[in-house]
Amino acid sequence: MKFKDYEYIRPNVENIKKQLIQLTDNINNAVSFEEVNNAIQEYVLIDNEFGSMASLASIRNTINTQDEFYEQEQEFFDTVSPELAEYFQNLNLAIYNSKFRTELVEKYGSKIFREIEVDLKTFKPEIIEDLQIENKLTTKYDKLKASAQIEFDGKVLPLPGLSIYLQDKDRNIRKSAEEAVCNFYKEHEDEFDEIYDELVQVRTRIAKKLGYENFVELGYYRMGRTDYDSKMVANYREQILKHVVPLANKIYQLQSERTNISDLKSYDLSLTYLNGNPLPKGTTDEKVEKARVMYHELSKETGEFFDFMVEHELFDLDSKKGKAGGGYCTYMPKWRSPFIFSNFNNTAGDIDVLTHEAGHAFQVYCSRDAILPNYIWPTMESCEIHSMSMEFFTYPWMNLFFDDVDKRIYAHLTDSITFLPYGVTVDEFQHVVYSKPEMTKEERKAAWREIERKYSPYKVYENDLLERGGWWYRQGHIFSSPFYYIDYTLAQVCAHQFFVKDIENHEKAWQDYYHLCKLGGSKTFLELLKEAHLENPFEDGSLTKTMNTLEKWIDNFDKSKLN
Ligand SMILES: [Zn+2]
């Protein structure tokens, strides 16, 4: 069966509620482990069915945000998901309090209990209405961005359609493309500010109702973090400032010399080379076919996986009018299918999708036989290790996609380093915002600009909105997934470790990686790192060693190939 034939049926929420109540009773009144276990198995089926329909509706809604049917279905899930949370939580509570804990831990491991504990800290029925408001606000943000129709170069383009101009060789084109993007955000400045302010207020209200001082601690629990807290993260950001910002400065200094632009402006930063950034070859179908060749050569497992994706048409790759922005990978347990969504625009980003999102899809494909739905995906910072490391593992095949393969690899590696200061900027901003929810819209923008100056001294703006601190409107995570963004940076520094290991010993590095993919979400972040023989990024020194190696790699790179 192909994706287009996957049948959508709106879940019957009243039935699900009844079933969950019944199963909760069964667990509470069980006189044997078998009874508890049977109830859990039934719950897994309900969860899989509901989750699959929610994913299917969401995929089809993002593929065409103007399709009224799936828009309604998306609204349906926005409303019922928080309602059902109470029933799922009661069931989890019953598992948590079961007198058969010993047998349960033996069968399912202890992680589920730690997760339930964290989960219990994030929900009370009193917050249902607020959660619904929160969902609607994030959907509103997505729609506002997707509504963009920007006139440029004689065309009418959605936001992702501008990316190629932002990397154009002609400085004037880059500058006017940045202006065009900023004009859209400036025109809607009040709306973006308002949506965000309402989000901050509703999240703060939720936190207070749950007994927290503000949203920060709750935000960590909502991310399912059981291993680390905001203090450890603050210390990690400090290390980025110390060890990565100087290297990022050096990377832009080299770029400035290479491109003969002595006064680098924000719109110059993505022009890595004077002769333009390497662009991928071929049509979307050709790129997918090359990816298939690549994954067959990389390993038996990745070959099988990619054939499955192609056979079931589990991709929607091209940018289209009305399509939501960005890219993601999701999973539908009912059909055991990952799905990859993106907006191809003929930049190197297209190939990042075929490696990054495919890395996510490969991991979920590897762990799809997990005994519990919670064990399929790990927490987000661990998820991104699979995807970002896949970007590095596929370096030997980049010649299939690019003529200027050295330029591609150098740009990819250096981008992965300069990304880190940006990632911690997004994170620190949110800590400031949620610690002081009473800040005004202008104070928030000023705070963003101040943090940005600290971590990215090389960002020099000519645009008024950006100079006032308005860059973050475009960073969807700030709106929809608070405190998520740091996870990308944590994963990135782990992926850098895989890059170094891959150079030293490919077989060993791949074994560790495949092992990590198969573990899925059965362990926590720090436990997974141990299993994969990766260093803990919260520990002093782990960053120093990797960054030194990367700096040497940059120093030794034959720069005559970078024109
Ligand atoms: Zn990802």
Side-chain angles (χ1 to χ4, degrees), residues 327-329 356-357 360 380 383-384 387-388 391 484 488:
Y328 64 79
C329 167
H356 180 100
E357 299 304 336
H360 284 305
M380 297 303 190
C383 273
E384 296 301 327
S387 51
M388 291 176 164
E391 296 176 34
Y484 177 3
Y488 290 107

Side-chain angles (χ1 to χ4, degrees), residues 1-7 56 60 312-314 339:
M1 207 194 326
K2 298 190 190 306
F3 172 73
K4 63 175 164 32
D5 303 317
Y6 289 6
E7 191 189 1
L56 188 56
R60 290 185 175 154
H312 297 84
E313 298 180 358
L314 297 166
F339 189 90

